């Protein structure tokens, strides 16, 4: 079984920074794509940033230039550095990881438990 554990959320003033972490636990053979999504009440979950196994990254227009996604495959972990935070960044942030376990040929698609990020004005 693959599990994701997120950490690093919290309350910050506008203009501040936070760093989210996502650790992947389980019998992992490889990790392909890692991504961060966010969701606010009454809205659909939206993609914030993603990164491939080759290191190529993509960002939502609303966070480009402020957020940076990274990964450390040696630690089976991913990160989202969030700078110049705005009140509209307030949301629950979810980590999503796709890869292959050691015990199955089928790819897993796992989600973290969510981390609340609140940005005050």
């Amino acid at each position: 079984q693959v599990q994701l554990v997120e950490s690093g959320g919290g309350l910050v003033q506008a203009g501040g920074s936070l760093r989210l972490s996502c650790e992947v636990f389980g019998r992992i053979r490889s990790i392909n794509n890692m991504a961060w999504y966010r969701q606010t009440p009454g809205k659909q979950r939206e993609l914030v940033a993603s990164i491939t196994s080759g290191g190529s990254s993509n960002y939502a227009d609303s966070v480009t230039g402020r957020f940076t996604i990274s990964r450390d495959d040696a630690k089976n972990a991913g990160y989202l550095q969030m700078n110049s935070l705005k009140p509209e960044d307030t949301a629950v942030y979810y980590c999503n990881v796709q890869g292959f376990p050691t015990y199955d040929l089928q790819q897993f698609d796992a989600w973290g438990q969510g981390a609340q990020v609140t940005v005050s004005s």
Side-chain angles (χ1 to χ4, degrees), residues 5-10 19-21 36-39 82 89-95 112-118:
V5 177
E6 298 182 36
S7 60
R19 187 188 193 217
L20 300 180
S21 298
W36 290 92
Y37 290 75
R38 66 187 181 187
Q39 189 170 25
M82 304 182 291
D89 294 318
T90 296
V92 177
Y93 285 70
Y94 296 91
C95 176
Q113 81 278 15
Q116 177 69 48
V117 171
T118 303

Side-chain angles (χ1 to χ4, degrees), residues 30-109:
S30 64
I31 293 176
N32 297 338
N33 294 330
M34 302 183 79
W36 290 92
Y37 290 75
R38 66 187 181 187
Q39 189 170 25
T40 55
K43 293 188 177 181
Q44 285 192 332
R45 194 171 294 188
E46 65 168 350
L47 178 64
V48 175
S50 64
I51 185 168
T52 67
S53 57
S56 297
S57 57
N58 284 289
Y59 297 90
D61 289 344
S62 59
V63 307
T64 297
R66 299 188 297 120
F67 290 12
T68 303
I69 189 171
S70 62
R71 56 191 286 167
D72 185 341
D73 290 339
K75 296 181 179 180
N76 284 342
Y79 309 97
L80 184 68
Q81 178 66 43
M82 304 182 291
N83 299 330
S84 302
L85 282 161
K86 304 176 182 180
E88 51 263 44
D89 294 318
T90 296
V92 177
Y93 285 70
Y94 296 91
C95 176
N96 172 244
V97 174
Q98 299 168 345
F100 290 93
T102 58
Y103 50 85
D104 198 339
L105 295 178
Q106 186 169 359
Q107 181 173 256
F108 67 81
D109 187 342

